[in-house]
Amino acid sequence: MDDILRQTLLYDFYGELLTEHQKQIYEDYVLNDLSLGEIAQAAGISRQGVHDLVKRCDKVLNGYEQKLHLMEKFLKNKDAVQHINRLLKEYRRTGDECLIDRIESISNQILKEM
């Protein structure tokens, strides 16, 4: 997973735990794709201050993920649901009843891990 996608997902899951100032700077950098200079000028701080704050936010958000694993669980469940959808399409095409057992197994695993 590329860095921007990872940062975006981490922010989606844990961004509300940042301060308002941190959220604004991080959103401008990651989501709005503004340069450090643009953000610094708008916020009235140095480019280095923006850089340090973004790095600190990255560290905080990654720390939450290491403790809570919400993004990891989300991505795992998303993959499992996509697998179920592929199996359903295959079942509709072939009528193979064994696919229903595989679908049930995957769905039970998702429920077990929730």
Side-chain angles (χ1 to χ4, degrees):
M1 176 181 322
D2 74 351
D3 286 340
I4 295 296
L5 178 58
R6 180 172 175 77
Q7 286 175 310
T8 302
L9 282 172
L10 285 171
Y11 184 78
D12 286 346
F13 280 98
Y14 307 110
E16 288 301 314
L17 300 172
L18 299 174
T19 66
E20 285 303 315
H21 180 68
Q22 289 172 325
K23 285 194 295 190
Q24 183 60 55
I25 300 294
Y26 201 77
E27 283 178 13
D28 284 345
Y29 186 73
V30 175
L31 304 179
N32 300 331
D33 198 29
L34 297 179
S35 71
L36 295 176
E38 291 170 319
I39 299 167
Q41 185 177 14
I45 58 177
S46 68
R47 287 178 79 254
Q48 186 63 46
V50 173
H51 178 267
D52 291 347
L53 191 127
V54 169
K55 291 299 176 192
R56 195 166 43 252
C57 288
D58 278 336
K59 185 175 180 178
V60 167
L61 296 174
N62 278 299
Y64 289 136
E65 177 59 18
Q66 287 175 352
K67 291 174 184 156
L68 301 172
H69 307 283
L70 296 178
M71 187 178 77
E72 175 188 333
K73 290 173 186 175
F74 169 79
L75 292 172
K76 186 176 180 181
N77 286 338
K78 180 181 173 191
D79 287 344
V81 170
Q82 288 173 336
H83 189 197
I84 287 172
N85 286 338
R86 287 190 302 273
L87 291 173
L88 280 171
K89 285 179 185 176
E90 180 70 14
Y91 172 74
R92 287 185 183 119
R93 189 177 65 74
T94 65
D96 183 355
E97 291 292 325
C98 293
L99 295 171
I100 298 298
D101 292 335
R102 289 174 58 196
I103 291 169
E104 183 179 30
S105 173
I106 295 167
S107 66
N108 285 337
Q109 187 62 37
I110 293 171
L111 291 172
K112 179 181 171 187
E113 292 176 5
M114 292 181 112

